[in-house]
């Protein structure tokens, strides 16, 4: 897997922080509070709790995790944005930060939060019940033959899966409908029962259903066919500019000094490249495409996605 490395402040800090327990003078937190903009047990929470001991080891400090899922994570964003800008409060968040911002449901933007690093770029898949559609060609034919009748389920009105639904409608010219559910389990249950025609989900979240044959992914939001799933067609090969996924990363109060942000970024870069983290990524199918982006690159990606999601929401 190719990893993009920064060469300035982050690289300097990495050299100082590569040994567990050794921290740069500019960043030696007495403790860290990590807000998680999601509930317990989900992908973002699992990410935070996997990284927690790795962070504690490298910084020789305690990391306390606090889950704040309310209002699509807006409470976590608010707590992070109003915390002391000393590097002792960080946030683990997913693409919901940007989708809820695009939908006008989150008042905390990239002027108040600074991205430290992206660690995961989970691939979104269009998932169907194989008893209803055996392939994307079958789904596509039904969408074209019965416009306005097929239904896609998702978690809520400002989710990354709704953005995928809006993007597919726009790129493919489909007339699909969307039903938001309170949680992923409800959407899955309705797909299994045949009440809906499809849902967007991440590879890491549907492995059990794939292994049992109850659900199959038929379309990947990706540029190229995935090495692990060579039979699944992609949006790009259909000529559609629709390749975003559910990204997860670390954020901090935007007033935090740049040298502190650079030092924290370097710690997470070291964690990302470690054998322990890569083993976790492989076990949870989070290594299908590279996840790492440094602070500046991650901000650029977030700003690009925000503009695109705002266009999708404005058109719908």
């Amino acid at each position: 897997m190719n990893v993009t490395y920064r060469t300035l402040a982050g690289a300097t800090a990495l050299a100082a922080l590569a040994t567990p327990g050794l921290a740069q003078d500019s960043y030696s937190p007495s403790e860290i509070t990590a807000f998680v903009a999601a509930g317990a047990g989900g992908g973002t929470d699992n990410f935070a709790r996997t990284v927690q001991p790795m962070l504690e080891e490298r910084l020789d400090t305690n990391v306390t995790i606090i889950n704040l899922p309310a209002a699509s994570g807006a409470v976590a964003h608010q707590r992070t944005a109003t915390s002391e800008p000393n590097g002792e409060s960080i946030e683990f968040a997913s693409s919901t930060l940007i989708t809820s911002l695009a939908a006008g449901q989150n008042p905390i933007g990239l002027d108040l939060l600074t991205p430290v690093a992206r660690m995961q770029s989970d691939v979104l898949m269009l998932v169907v019940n194989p008893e209803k559609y055996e392939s994307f060609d079958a789904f596509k034919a039904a969408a074209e033959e019965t416009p306005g009748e097929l239904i896609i389920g998702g978690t809520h009105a400002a989710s990354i899966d709704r953005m995928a639904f809006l993007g597919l409608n726009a790129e493919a010219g489909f007339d699909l409908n969307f039903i938001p559910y309170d949680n992923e389990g409800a959407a899955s249950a309705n797909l299994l029962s045949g009440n809906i025609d499809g849902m967007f989900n991440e590879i890491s979240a549907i492995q059990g259903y794939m292994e049992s044959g109850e659900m199959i992914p038929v379309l990947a939001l990706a540029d190229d066919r995935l090495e692990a799933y060579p039979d699944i067609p992609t949006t790009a090969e259909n000529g559609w500019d629709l390749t975003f996924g559910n990204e997860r990363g670390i954020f901090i109060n935007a007033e935090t000094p740049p040298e502190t942000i650079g030092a924290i970024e370097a710690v997470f870069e070291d964690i990302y490249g470690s054998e322990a983290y890569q083993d976790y990524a492989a076990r949870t199918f989070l290594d299908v495409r590279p996840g790492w982006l440094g602070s500046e690159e991650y901000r650029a990606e977030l700003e690009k996605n925000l503009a695109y999601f705002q266009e999708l929401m404005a058109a719908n």
Side-chain angles (χ1 to χ4, degrees), residues 225-268:
R225 292 208 177 193
L226 306 172
E227 184 176 347
Y229 305 94
D231 296 330
I232 301 176
T234 71
T235 47
E237 70 186 64
N238 279 278
W240 305 327
D241 185 12
L242 185 67
T243 58
F244 61 83
N246 191 12
E247 302 180 344
R248 299 185 186 93
I250 300 90
F251 296 80
I252 200 165
N253 184 327
E255 296 182 2
T256 305
E259 61 270 19
T260 301
I261 295 172
I264 300 171
E265 176 189 340
V267 177
F268 278 103

Side-chain angles (χ1 to χ4, degrees), residues 46-313:
N46 289 336
F47 164 44
R49 294 182 188 278
T50 298
V51 167
Q52 180 185 19
M54 303 179 191
L55 194 59
E56 290 178 331
E57 179 184 23
R58 283 161 175 78
L59 294 173
D60 191 23
T61 192
N62 292 323
V63 177
T64 301
I65 290 178
I66 299 176
N67 292 87
L68 296 171
S72 298
V75 175
H77 310 328
Q78 179 72 34
R79 290 282 295 275
T80 306
T82 58
S83 64
E84 288 293 323
N86 58 6
E88 295 191 350
S89 295
I90 61 175
E91 178 183 345
F92 289 84
S94 70
S95 292
T96 302
L97 167 65
I98 296 300
T99 59
S100 60
L101 187 61
Q105 298 180 0
N106 168 27
I108 308 300
L110 296 177
D111 56 334
L112 299 176
L113 291 179
T114 288
V116 175
R118 188 189 78 180
M119 301 275 280
Q120 298 174 2
S121 180
D122 213 342
V123 179
L124 283 174
M125 297 278 200
L126 174 63
V127 183
V128 301
N129 185 328
E131 294 184 359
K132 205 166 189 177
Y133 305 105
E134 62 180 13
S135 65
F136 180 66
D137 285 341
F139 178 91
K140 181 180 179 183
E144 293 174 342
E145 291 168 7
T146 58
E149 294 189 14
L150 270 61
I151 299 172
I152 299 295
T155 48
H156 57 81
S159 60
I160 191 69
D161 37 321
R162 180 160 186 254
M163 298 302 165
F165 152 79
L166 292 174
L168 184 61
N169 263 355
E171 291 290 330
F174 291 160
D175 183 15
L176 306 172
N177 296 300
F178 185 85
I179 294 181
Y181 293 94
D182 291 336
N183 54 65
E184 184 179 303
S188 296
N190 277 274
L191 181 62
L192 293 173
S193 64
N195 292 330
I196 60 177
D197 296 278
M199 62 184 289
F200 284 97
N201 213 329
E202 306 148 10
I203 291 177
S204 59
I206 59 174
Q207 290 302 311
Y209 292 116
M210 289 173 61
E211 291 171 3
S212 68
E214 295 175 284
M215 295 182 188
I216 58 170
V218 294
L219 181 71
L221 274 64
D223 289 306
D224 303 308
R225 292 208 177 193
L226 306 172
E227 184 176 347
Y229 305 94
D231 296 330
I232 301 176
T234 71
T235 47
E237 70 186 64
N238 279 278
W240 305 327
D241 185 12
L242 185 67
T243 58
F244 61 83
N246 191 12
E247 302 180 344
R248 299 185 186 93
I250 300 90
F251 296 80
I252 200 165
N253 184 327
E255 296 182 2
T256 305
E259 61 270 19
T260 301
I261 295 172
I264 300 171
E265 176 189 340
V267 177
F268 278 103
E269 189 169 21
D270 185 54
I271 290 172
Y272 180 85
S274 69
E275 182 178 353
Y277 183 85
Q278 290 302 319
D279 284 347
Y280 149 73
R283 288 195 311 272
T284 52
F285 301 90
L286 290 165
D287 61 345
V288 174
R289 62 182 173 194
W292 176 262
L293 286 178
S295 179
E296 295 176 5
E297 296 86 356
Y298 190 20
R299 174 180 288 277
E301 179 75 5
L302 289 165
E303 290 175 344
K304 181 189 75 173
N305 286 340
L306 176 59
Y308 178 57
F309 296 154
Q310 287 173 329
E311 288 178 7
L312 288 177
M313 295 296 293

Side-chain angles (χ1 to χ4, degrees), residues 24-40:
Q24 201 180 33
D25 291 341
S26 63
Y27 184 57
S28 300
S30 58
E31 60 180 359
I32 294 176
T33 299
F35 302 113
V36 177

